[in-house]
Amino acid sequence: EQLAAEIGVYPNPAQDRLFLDLPSELGEVSLTIRNSLGQIIARPNTPAIGGFIPTWELQNGQYWLVIATNEGQRITKPFLKGQ
């Protein structure tokens, strides 16, 4: 729960890109974007520091960014894709 609070996902709503701030102690992570039905929409690469996740191909709506660590933790961060 504390770890989830340390992860930043912005701006929210996103337009064409979503920035992700991850604490360094997380190490390697994998990312998945799911829609409101729980379907996997994308498996973006983890951005480098200062990088972003492209969202320009997503339709407007509610999404969840699922962050999975090598230790088996899963953190889910909701975000909106808007115009």
Side-chain angles (χ1 to χ4, degrees), residues 50-63:
F52 62 89
I53 299 167
T55 57
W56 49 77
E57 293 184 1
L58 298 177
Q59 294 183 10
N60 290 347
Q62 175 86 40
Y63 294 91

Side-chain angles (χ1 to χ4, degrees), residues 39-73:
Q39 298 167 321
I40 295 173
I41 300 301
R43 293 183 190 274
N45 293 326
T46 305
I49 294 172
F52 62 89
I53 299 167
T55 57
W56 49 77
E57 293 184 1
L58 298 177
Q59 294 183 10
N60 290 347
Q62 175 86 40
Y63 294 91
W64 285 264
L65 178 64
V66 181
I67 303 156
T69 69
N70 284 341
E71 290 78 38
Q73 287 182 292

Side-chain angles (χ1 to χ4, degrees), residues 6-21:
E6 294 178 25
I7 297 173
V9 176
Y10 60 94
N12 195 0
Q15 292 183 9
D16 60 351
R17 61 188 67 182
L18 188 67
F19 292 91
L20 180 62
D21 285 338

